[in-house]
């Protein structure tokens, strides 16, 4: 079954069973922010607990810029193949002569909404011209191999992350590209001046230029070694994203 999806401010939010839920591969469990209750996902029913963190609903809604009732985490995601399909509005950059206009369009990545669908299914037929990325599980989080700034890293897939992150040693030698707002859910805190970098990145042999921040608190909270990165949803901004845990793969189209 497919559910309506909004990609809002770098996060996947979808309407399901009368609730607005955030897809968070970085969360080991699913929960409602407030009252516990049942939810129907795909062809299965789940009883969810309430979040133990006060104020998490308000902060998440501020971050996502959407109403959010709770989190769908790995406990549910791992039972399905998750297929995300987005309806994208494309800009013809060649037709834009005004540099200030171009900057405004680039900034739409900060606060924009694209619509589509999300499906929780038992079967996915595959797609032509797709990038297939082998998935692993490390430290209880989905991960894959990537090359960031010329360095091989283990990239943890966290669609609930405010930004993407890498250790300072991975981003050594780069000039910052600006600052961004950052919400650290584990401590329910905000950082409004997080420095980010536009970084040459290679995933499954394909070249990308992706945005990474450093955040020692997140590295420390997960006890991550220096040769790791955390990949948020924006960096996997494709028309179609498939997360197939049982098949140990991620598909990007």
């Amino acid at each position: 079954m497919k559910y309506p999806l909004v990609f809002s401010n770098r996060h996947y939010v979808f309407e399901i069973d009368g609730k607005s839920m955030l897809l968070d591969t970085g969360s080991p469990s699913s929960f409602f922010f407030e009252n516990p209750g049942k939810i129907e996902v795909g062809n299965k029913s789940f009883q969810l607990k309430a979040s133990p963190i006060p104020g998490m609903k308000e902060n998440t809604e501020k971050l996502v810029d959407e109403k959010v009732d709770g989190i769908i985490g790995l406990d549910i995601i791992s039972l399905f193949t998750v297929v995300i399909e987005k309806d994208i509005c494309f800009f013809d950059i060649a037709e834009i002569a005004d540099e200030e206009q171009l900057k405004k369009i680039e900034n739409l990545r900060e606060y924009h909404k694209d619509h589509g669908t999300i499906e929780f299914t038992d079967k996915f037929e595959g797609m032509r011209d797709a990038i297939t990325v082998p998935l692993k599980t490390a430290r209880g989080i989905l991960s894959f191999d990537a090359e960031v700034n010329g360095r091989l890293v283990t990239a943890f897939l966290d669609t609930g992350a405010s930004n993407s992150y890498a250790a300072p040693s991975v981003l050594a030698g780069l000039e910052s590209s600006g600052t961004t707002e950052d919400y650290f859910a584990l401590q329910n805190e905000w950082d409004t001046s997080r420095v980010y970098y536009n970084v040459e990145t290679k995933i499954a042999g394909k070249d990308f230029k992706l945005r990474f921040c450093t955040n020692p608190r997140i590295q420390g909270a997960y006890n991550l070694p220096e040769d790791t990165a955390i990949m948020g949803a924006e960096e996997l901004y494709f028309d179609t994203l498939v997360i197939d845990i049982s098949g140990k793969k991620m598909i990007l189209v």
Side-chain angles (χ1 to χ4, degrees):
M1 183 174 179
K2 293 185 177 182
Y3 306 95
L5 169 79
V6 174
F7 186 74
S8 179
N9 193 23
R10 310 190 296 272
H11 292 84
Y12 297 118
V13 181
F14 57 99
E15 294 295 326
I16 184 168
D17 200 23
K19 301 291 185 180
S20 183
M21 305 298 286
L22 171 66
L23 187 77
D24 187 355
T25 57
S27 174
S29 59
S30 304
F31 54 86
F32 290 124
F33 287 132
E34 296 178 333
N35 301 322
K38 287 186 177 181
I39 192 168
E40 299 286 335
V41 181
N43 57 356
K44 296 180 174 66
S45 177
F46 302 91
Q47 178 70 36
L48 304 189
K49 296 180 179 180
S51 168
I53 304 176
M56 191 176 184
K57 175 178 172 64
E58 291 77 10
N59 283 319
T60 301
E61 289 181 338
K62 175 184 174 184
L63 174 70
V64 175
D65 195 26
E66 280 286 320
K67 174 181 176 290
V68 183
D69 295 304
I71 299 289
I72 296 295
L74 271 185
D75 56 343
I76 292 179
I77 294 169
S78 62
L79 300 177
F80 300 92
T81 295
V82 180
V83 182
I84 298 168
E85 295 182 284
K86 297 186 290 294
D87 299 325
I88 309 295
C89 296
F90 291 96
F91 295 97
D92 187 350
I93 300 299
E95 293 181 358
I96 300 174
D98 189 329
E99 187 174 339
E100 289 304 312
Q101 275 187 285
L102 182 57
K103 287 181 180 178
K104 289 178 182 178
I105 289 174
E106 289 176 342
N107 287 340
L108 287 178
R109 297 189 75 200
E110 288 294 324
Y111 290 95
H112 70 281
K113 291 182 173 65
D114 285 319
H115 297 263
T117 61
I118 185 169
E119 182 178 11
F120 294 81
T121 181
D122 298 323
K123 187 177 178 183
F124 181 70
E125 299 295 339
M127 302 183 72
R128 294 178 59 187
D129 302 321
I131 301 170
T132 299
V133 183
L135 280 181
K136 302 176 288 184
T137 301
R139 299 171 183 262
I141 308 174
L142 297 178
S143 67
F144 56 93
D145 294 330
E147 186 177 306
V148 179
N149 195 27
R151 181 167 173 172
L152 293 175
V153 302
T154 296
F156 293 91
L157 176 61
D158 186 357
T159 60
S162 309
N163 294 286
S164 292
Y165 310 95
S169 59
V170 175
L171 305 178
L174 297 175
E175 291 187 10
S176 67
S177 302
T179 59
T180 185
E181 192 170 51
D182 198 6
Y183 171 52
F184 186 38
L186 289 178
Q187 294 184 0
N188 210 27
E189 293 179 358
W190 285 87
D191 181 348
T192 57
S193 58
R194 177 60 50 190
V195 174
Y196 71 88
Y197 306 82
N198 292 319
V199 188
E200 298 294 338
T201 306
K202 191 182 293 287
I203 301 173
K206 302 294 183 180
D207 292 318
F208 304 91
K209 195 154 193 176
L210 305 182
R211 190 177 75 174
F212 286 90
C213 305
T214 60
N215 193 323
R217 290 186 302 173
I218 287 181
Q219 295 286 130
Y222 287 103
N223 194 26
L224 299 180
E226 285 290 294
D227 58 345
T228 58
I230 297 173
M231 198 78 73
E234 170 159 330
E235 309 312 340
L236 299 169
Y237 195 73
F238 292 80
D239 290 7
T240 301
L241 166 64
V242 179
I243 302 171
D244 181 359
I245 296 177
S246 63
K248 297 182 179 180
K249 62 187 176 183
M250 176 171 63
I251 299 172
L252 311 172
V253 182

